[in-house]
């Protein structure tokens, strides 16, 4: 979304084609998996606070549901496109499959900028989106969740609208709900923690002690904040974070070479993951250009903001010291950059494995909501750690055995599982 010439769906298809060739998939299975099964484009009319009406464009794409109901977040972004949503829905299919949870993949979005919308206007968008899709989503069909610039409040408005339409309490329709209203403990932490569970295993495999490592992070939203917290707990030091500045319509990297203090930074961070630049300067943070996070002298890079951030343009700026890239964001690395990273033997924790903690915990939330019985936070996070660790080991074992790049190994496992489910159902 950040670069108009970049097409995330073409990138997702190119990644799929590469693995389909590796696996020797037949033409029908390729045709089925290369494109989404269903796509919806919506007009959402909303009465604005000044009494006027504005029509917002929204999307839902259900890529594949052979392994179970489809699942995926909904993003609010001024540059959202159907192709971004298509790509993300495909990645959700692979993500659920690689961690082996019984769900398919979908994604949604609305072209809007919540920074410029009141709560009431955002509520109107949420309810309108659900009204348009009320027959096509559901606890047994397709289950939305929060993503970029949406949160538990948005999910609750959506749940309320869905339940009003269906005349029943159906908390399993949506995940990322507030705790106490059907939400799962641990969901807020899940994606960021999941990134670090896989990072911890990668460090173990490379024989590196986490407390001897230093990392640079792009993004300071939900994923980045919890990833940093757990990484710090393991002993790792983060020296900079990069985030978007709404006022300047630009991104900046905030650096403290002896390590950022997450609690201190959180006090000057807004709910969209933007840092107050004046206050950051006051408490001793150096302010660098937005893309400076990639060229830092660190062991670990954690892109946790947006897609298309490590590309042919900047991959050569990655320091020789970098040993691991842990992709918190979806699609942060382009295939051209991937080639360079593979040649340099940097250990890649690919997005749909590394950030699968979110959907795994969402699956736990669905299970708890459907049972109407809720687990303690430790129980949720322990279950999450088991799933993430086991998925990591499956992928790294295959990568080692077949001498594959980690992203390819993860794709081989995921695409094989989905292709097999389609075959077993008799679809192809
Ligand atoms: P968020 O909205 O909470 O935070 C996004 C962060 O990225 C903010 O700090 C923002 O300032 C920053 N940012 C935006 N544009 C930037 C730019 N050009 N340069 C630098 N920083 C920029 O979002 P999030 O939930 O943390 O999601 C981040 C990424 O992780 C997205 O790619 C999302 O799809 C992916 N993801 C999120 C989850 C989840 O559970 N939240 C799960 C899986 C994947």
């Amino acid at each position: 979304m950040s670069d108009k010439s970049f097409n995330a769906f073409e990138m997702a298809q190119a990644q799929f084609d590469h693995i389909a060739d590796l696996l020797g998939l037949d033409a029908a299975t390729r045709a089925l998996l290369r494109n989404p099964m269903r796509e919806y484009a919506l007009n959402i009319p909303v009465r604005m606070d000044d009494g006027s009406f504005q029509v917002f464009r929204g999307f839902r794409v259900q890529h594949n549901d052979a392994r179970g109901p489809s699942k995926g977040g909904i993003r609010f972004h001024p540059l959202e496109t159907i192709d971004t949503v298509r790509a993300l829905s495909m990645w959700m299919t692979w993500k659920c499959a690689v961690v082996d949870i019984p769900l398919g993949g979908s994604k949604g979005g609305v072209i809007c900028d919540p920074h410029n919308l009141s709560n009431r206007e955002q509520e109107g968008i949420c309810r309108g989106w659900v009204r348009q899709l009320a027959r096509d989503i559901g606890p047994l069909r397709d289950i939305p969740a929060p993503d970029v610039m949406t949160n538990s409040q948005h999910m609750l408005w959506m749940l309320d609208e869905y339940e009003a339409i269906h005349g029943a309490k159906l908390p399993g329709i949506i995940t990322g709900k507030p705790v106490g209203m059907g939400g799962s403990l641990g969901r807020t932490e899940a994606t960021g923690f999941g990134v670090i569970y896989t990072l911890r295993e990668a460090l173990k495999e490379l024989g590196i002690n986490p407390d001897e490592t230093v990392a640079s992070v792009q993004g300071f939203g939900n994923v980045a904040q919890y990833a940093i917290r757990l990484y710090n707990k393991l002993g790792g030091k983060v020296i900079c974070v990069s985030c978007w500045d709404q006022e300047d319509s630009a991104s900046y990297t905030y650096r403290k070479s002896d390590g950022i203090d997450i609690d201190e930074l959180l006090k000057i961070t807004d709910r969209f993951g933007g840092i107050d630049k004046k206050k950051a300067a006051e408490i001793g943070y150096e302010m660098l250009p937005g893309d400076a996070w990639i060229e830092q002298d660190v062991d670990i890079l954690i892109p946790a903001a947006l897609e298309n951030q490590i590309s042919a343009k900047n991959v050569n700026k990655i320091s020789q010291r970098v040993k691991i890239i842990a992709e918190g964001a979806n699609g942060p690395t382009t295939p051209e950059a991937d080639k360079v990273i593979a040649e340099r033997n940097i250990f890649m924790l690919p997005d749909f494995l590394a950030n699968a903690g979110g959907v795994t915990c969402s699956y736990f939330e669905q299970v708890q909501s459907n049972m109407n019985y809720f687990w303690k936070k430790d129980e949720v996070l322990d279950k999450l750690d088991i799933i993430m660790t086991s998925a990591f080991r499956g992928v790294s074992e295959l990568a080692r055995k077949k001498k594959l790049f980690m992203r390819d190994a993860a794709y081989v496992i995921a695409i094989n599982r989905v292709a097999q489910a389609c075959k077993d159902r008799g679809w192809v």
Side-chain angles (χ1 to χ4, degrees), residues 163-200:
E163 290 184 339
I165 292 168
H166 290 270
K169 294 295 168 197
L170 295 160
I173 166 63
I174 208 153
T175 62
K177 300 180 291 294
V179 171
M181 291 293 297
S184 176
L185 290 167
R187 176 62 186 90
T188 318
E189 295 88 344
T191 308
F193 277 20
V195 172
I196 304 305
Y197 294 145
T198 59
L199 175 64
R200 179 196 63 206

Side-chain angles (χ1 to χ4, degrees), residues 35-56:
N35 283 297
M37 297 196 75
R38 285 176 293 277
E39 301 183 350
Y40 306 89
L42 330 160
N43 274 343
I44 307 168
V46 174
R47 190 197 289 272
M48 306 303 279
D49 289 348
D50 66 2
S52 68
F53 279 93
Q54 200 171 317
V55 179
F56 294 88

Side-chain angles (χ1 to χ4, degrees), residues 3 17 33 51 88 164 166 175 217 258 283 327 337 343 346:
D3 173 357
D17 290 343
L33 297 181
L88 292 164
H166 290 270
T175 62
V217 179
D258 54 349
I283 56 173
E327 294 184 326
E343 276 159 21
I346 296 176

Side-chain angles (χ1 to χ4, degrees), residues 71 92 95-96 98-101 103 145-146 175 184-198 222-223 327-328 330 350-365 380-381 383-389 391-392:
K71 178 110 194 67
M92 283 305 297
K95 194 180 293 193
C96 294
V98 81
V99 287
D100 210 6
I101 54 177
L103 296 171
T175 62
S184 176
L185 290 167
R187 176 62 186 90
T188 318
E189 295 88 344
T191 308
F193 277 20
V195 172
I196 304 305
Y197 294 145
T198 59
N222 171 261
V223 178
E327 294 184 326
N330 287 313
D351 49 3
F352 67 102
L353 169 65
N355 70 29
V359 73
T360 304
C361 193
S362 296
Y363 162 61
F364 294 158
E365 178 177 332
V380 172
L381 294 174
K383 282 181 166 60
L384 180 66
D385 196 350
I386 291 167
I387 289 189
M388 296 301 292
T389 300
F392 169 87

Side-chain angles (χ1 to χ4, degrees), residues 114-187:
H115 294 97
N116 306 327
L117 296 165
S118 70
N119 278 345
R120 205 200 59 80
E121 290 165 343
Q122 292 182 51
E123 177 179 350
I125 294 178
C126 289
R127 291 186 185 276
W129 190 88
V130 169
R131 273 199 302 279
Q132 300 282 32
L133 284 163
R135 286 179 302 276
D136 306 299
I137 56 173
L140 305 175
R141 301 180 76 133
D142 181 15
I143 304 117
D147 203 294
V148 173
M149 289 203 267
T150 56
N151 57 36
S152 57
Q153 176 62 75
H154 297 104
M155 298 306 109
L156 199 51
W157 286 323
M158 289 183 169
L159 169 71
D160 191 65
E161 189 69 23
Y162 187 85
E163 290 184 339
I165 292 168
H166 290 270
K169 294 295 168 197
L170 295 160
I173 166 63
I174 208 153
T175 62
K177 300 180 291 294
V179 171
M181 291 293 297
S184 176
L185 290 167
R187 176 62 186 90

